[in-house]
Amino acid sequence: MLLELLVTLCAQHGVETLTASSGEAALTLLREQGSRIDWLLTDIRLPGLVDGWSVAEAYRQIQPHRPVIYSSTTANLNHPAVPGSIFVTKPFVIADILRLARMMGSELEASRQLCA
């Protein structure tokens, strides 16, 4: 239900989404569509055996310089996050997440241009 709400809110803000209902489904989606994904929002605790940490690591292999936003109801970060990522605690406002992803993407692009 939360996933459907997030998709609806993203659509209202003009953001196209690709969604997965479990960690395993997210890994399949990344294999099939990963090059199209501009930024990743993942819950740390996902249904199934694959968690959000693993999903973010798989995304980083495909998109090494794009934003990753982790989400959870607790701030328990017992696992190292991928570089260039950020953690937000639920509940959050989707407009804030979208602004954050855009800001992170702009900063990453600017730093890549400076290095080139």
Side-chain angles (χ1 to χ4, degrees):
M1 191 161 103
L2 178 59
L3 181 58
E4 291 176 19
L5 177 61
L6 286 172
V7 169
T8 300
L9 291 171
C10 284
Q12 289 174 353
H13 285 86
V15 175
E16 179 185 351
T17 58
L18 300 173
T19 62
S21 58
S22 69
E24 292 82 359
L27 292 180
T28 298
L29 182 65
L30 287 174
R31 279 192 298 275
E32 295 171 355
Q33 303 283 335
S35 63
R36 292 185 51 219
I37 300 172
D38 293 328
W39 58 280
L40 176 71
L41 170 62
T42 183
D43 200 315
I44 291 172
R45 294 187 193 126
L46 297 171
L49 300 175
V50 177
D51 60 17
W53 302 115
S54 299
V55 171
E57 289 166 6
Y59 178 67
R60 262 298 178 262
Q61 291 176 6
I62 298 165
Q63 296 281 18
H65 304 292
R66 302 304 303 158
V68 171
I69 302 171
Y70 295 101
S71 172
S72 185
T73 54
T74 63
N76 184 5
L77 298 177
N78 291 331
H79 190 284
V82 296
S85 63
I86 195 162
F87 179 85
V88 295
T89 304
K90 292 181 192 173
F92 53 77
V93 176
I94 194 63
D96 292 340
I97 297 295
L98 297 173
R99 275 192 293 277
L100 183 60
R102 288 181 181 122
M103 179 191 68
M104 291 170 68
S106 296
E107 288 177 3
L108 286 169
E109 186 61 32
S111 68
R112 284 182 47 199
Q113 289 176 359
L114 289 175
C115 293

